[in-house]
Amino acid sequence: MSLFLAEAYFHTLDPDAISLWGKFSVKWYGLSYAMGFLLSWLFFRWMAKTDRSPLSVQGAGDLMFYMILGVLLGGRLGYVVFYDPMLFITFTSKAPFWGLLAINQGGMSSHGGIIGVIIAVCMFCRSHSLSKLHMLDLSTLASTAGLMLGRLANF
């Protein structure tokens, strides 16, 4: 009987980064989202400060707000649409009452999050009169760190 090093390592990983009290904890996946958002915001601010983009420093924070909503809404809606559409019509007597909002049932999809970000960036560009293609290019560069951290957090 042989034991592979990868089996010993991967089967003992804990999804909780920090256990606070009871069942409440901070997950590695949540930390990867937060760090990805922070790195993207820093990238946008750097691009704005060095005049590499028509985006203003103030606009970097506004864009991140749009993108965070795009990731969260698009990711959850993508999961429900692609993997478990019954959550649209599932209602219970316990909070959060609607299956779509029950993030403990399923999760999020990366492709839904990407679609959400594309929509969010296009909405931001329309309201701030910026080039959609330029901002989508910047968003692609800014998102790579978050995507990498998300893949690592899957372990």
Side-chain angles (χ1 to χ4, degrees), residues 33-108:
Y33 269 85
M35 185 59 96
F37 293 145
L38 175 67
L39 292 172
S40 294
W41 176 70
L42 291 172
F43 174 75
F44 287 130
R45 283 182 50 92
W46 175 75
M47 291 293 285
K49 282 182 177 181
T50 58
D51 292 327
R52 289 183 165 91
S53 172
L55 185 67
S56 68
V57 175
Q58 167 81 26
D62 296 343
L63 176 60
M64 278 311 302
F65 179 76
Y66 277 73
M67 288 179 67
I68 289 169
L69 286 177
V71 166
L72 298 179
L73 295 175
R76 182 58 182 168
L77 284 171
Y79 175 83
V80 173
V81 167
F82 296 125
Y83 299 111
D84 197 357
M86 291 302 293
L87 290 173
F88 277 120
I89 58 172
T90 302
F91 294 92
T92 63
S93 59
K94 294 170 65 176
F97 309 111
W98 188 19
L100 179 69
L101 301 176
I103 58 172
N104 61 332
Q105 294 177 7
M108 296 175 53

Side-chain angles (χ1 to χ4, degrees), residues 65-149:
F65 179 76
Y66 277 73
M67 288 179 67
I68 289 169
L69 286 177
V71 166
L72 298 179
L73 295 175
R76 182 58 182 168
L77 284 171
Y79 175 83
V80 173
V81 167
F82 296 125
Y83 299 111
D84 197 357
M86 291 302 293
L87 290 173
F88 277 120
I89 58 172
T90 302
F91 294 92
T92 63
S93 59
K94 294 170 65 176
F97 309 111
W98 188 19
L100 179 69
L101 301 176
I103 58 172
N104 61 332
Q105 294 177 7
M108 296 175 53
S109 71
S110 59
H111 42 287
I114 291 168
I115 293 168
V117 166
I118 291 169
I119 292 169
V121 169
C122 289
M123 290 174 63
F124 177 83
C125 289
R126 178 179 290 167
S127 66
H128 289 79
S129 300
L130 293 170
S131 166
K132 288 179 185 156
L133 292 178
H134 174 74
M135 294 311 297
L136 286 169
D137 280 347
L138 286 184
S139 300
T140 301
L141 288 171
S143 300
T144 54
L147 290 168
M148 179 199 66
L149 291 168

